[in-house]
């Protein structure tokens, strides 16, 4: 059941420049992790994602937009992309 | 220890945490941190006694010691850790970040470990005295 997710994580992790990948569900629990990403980051990635999604008018739930969030450190960057059911964080 | 227990929990009240309790297996409160809108019904000892029974059964699954049980209800979610002879209970909103509560429970476990170890040491001393009689 999780073969497709596992293969997708492997594909992303093997891309040039990618140091790690983390997939998190809406409850802040880790669904999959590769590279130097840690499962212990999962609740914080979910929290960042849900906070960003909430910064918009929610008149019609079918028109919710999912923004891309970038967290920049001195020597690395984390790109967080929430979706309807899960959030993907790529460590570059 | 009560002030540090409360100050660790306080930042999480805005993110859906309702209460954090350190109790014995019968639900008698040792340490408590609660949000301002927390309902008193959440401090029913039944929450802890039910966990104690479930934890005892889980320990028999052949997977060594059960560490924690996460229970998802319609109204709330419970994260309960076995810190024998004590129990750590976190109560939060049903749709809040479960991973965050698991992280917080580990933080609080680190804080309360000295107290738990002191109580375990006290229990061993009493048992030694009884055996010695």
């Amino acid at each position: 059941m999780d073969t497709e997710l596992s293969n997708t994580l492997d594909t992303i992790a093997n891309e040039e420049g990618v140091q790690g990948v983390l997939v998190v569900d809406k409850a802040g629990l880790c669904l999959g992790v590769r590279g130097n990403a840690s499962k212990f980051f999962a609740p914080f990635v979910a929290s960042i994602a849900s906070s960003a999604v909430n910064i918009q008018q929610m008149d019609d739930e079918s028109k919710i937009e999912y923004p891309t969030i970038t967290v920049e450190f001195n020597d690395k960057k984390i790109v967080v992309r929430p979706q309807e059911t899960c959030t993907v964080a790529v460590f570059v | 220890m009560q002030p540090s227990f409360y100050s660790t929990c306080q930042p999480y009240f805005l993110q859906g945490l309702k209460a954090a309790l350190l109790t014995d297996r019968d639900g008698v409160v040792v340490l408590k941190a609660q949000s301002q809108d927390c309902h008193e019904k959440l401090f029913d000892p039944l929450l802890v006694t039910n966990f104690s029974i479930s934890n005892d059964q889980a320990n028999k699954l052949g997977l060594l010691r059960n560490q924690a049980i996460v229970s998802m209800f319609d109204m709330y979610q419970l994260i309960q850790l076995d810190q024998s002879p004590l129990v750590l209970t976190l109560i939060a909103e049903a749709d809040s970040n479960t991973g965050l509560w698991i992280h917080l429970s580990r933080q609080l476990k680190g804080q309360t470990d000295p107290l738990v170890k002191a109580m375990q040491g006290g229990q061993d001393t009493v048992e030694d005295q009884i055996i010695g009689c």
Side-chain angles (χ1 to χ4, degrees), chain A residues 26-29 39-40 42-44 46-47, chain B residues 12 15 95-100 102-103 106:
Chain A
K26 286 180 103 64
L29 302 171
K39 63 181 181 180
F40 298 111
F44 308 109
S47 185
Chain B
Y12 296 93
Q15 300 189 58
D95 58 354
S96 57
N97 190 329
T98 309
L100 205 55
I102 294 172
H103 164 77
R106 285 198 204 102

Side-chain angles (χ1 to χ4, degrees), chain B residues 14-69:
Chain B
L14 288 175
Q15 300 189 58
L17 181 68
K18 293 296 181 189
L21 304 168
L22 185 70
T23 67
D24 70 359
R25 289 166 57 93
D26 298 321
V28 176
V29 175
V30 176
L31 294 173
K32 182 168 79 172
Q34 65 184 95
S35 67
Q36 288 188 344
D37 60 345
C38 179
H39 206 287
E40 282 300 317
K41 277 189 185 171
L42 292 177
F43 302 125
D44 190 338
L46 211 57
L47 291 179
V48 179
T49 52
N50 276 343
F51 166 78
S52 298
I53 296 166
S54 306
N55 189 59
D56 288 344
Q57 294 304 316
N59 283 331
K60 298 172 189 171
L61 288 172
L63 302 173
L64 301 181
R65 194 179 75 86
N66 180 61
Q67 296 177 13
I69 295 177

Side-chain angles (χ1 to χ4, degrees), chain A residues 53-61 63-65:
Chain A
V53 170
N54 284 334
I55 312 174
Q56 62 182 301
Q57 293 277 8
M58 295 280 206
D59 299 326
D60 185 354
E61 281 202 10
K63 291 182 182 162
I64 288 179
E65 284 186 45

Side-chain angles (χ1 to χ4, degrees), chain A residues 4-72:
Chain A
E4 197 174 333
L5 173 63
S6 188
N7 292 339
T8 304
L9 284 172
D10 288 335
T11 305
I12 298 171
N14 288 331
E15 289 285 331
E16 192 179 338
V18 174
Q19 296 179 3
V21 193
L22 173 65
V23 180
V24 181
D25 71 358
K26 286 180 103 64
L29 302 171
C30 176
L31 295 175
V33 62
R34 295 288 186 277
N36 70 355
S38 166
K39 63 181 181 180
F40 298 111
F41 299 158
F44 308 109
V45 167
S47 185
I48 289 169
S50 71
S51 296
V53 170
N54 284 334
I55 312 174
Q56 62 182 301
Q57 293 277 8
M58 295 280 206
D59 299 326
D60 185 354
E61 281 202 10
S62 64
K63 291 182 182 162
I64 288 179
E65 284 186 45
Y66 295 100
T68 302
I69 307 110
T70 305
V71 182
E72 285 197 34

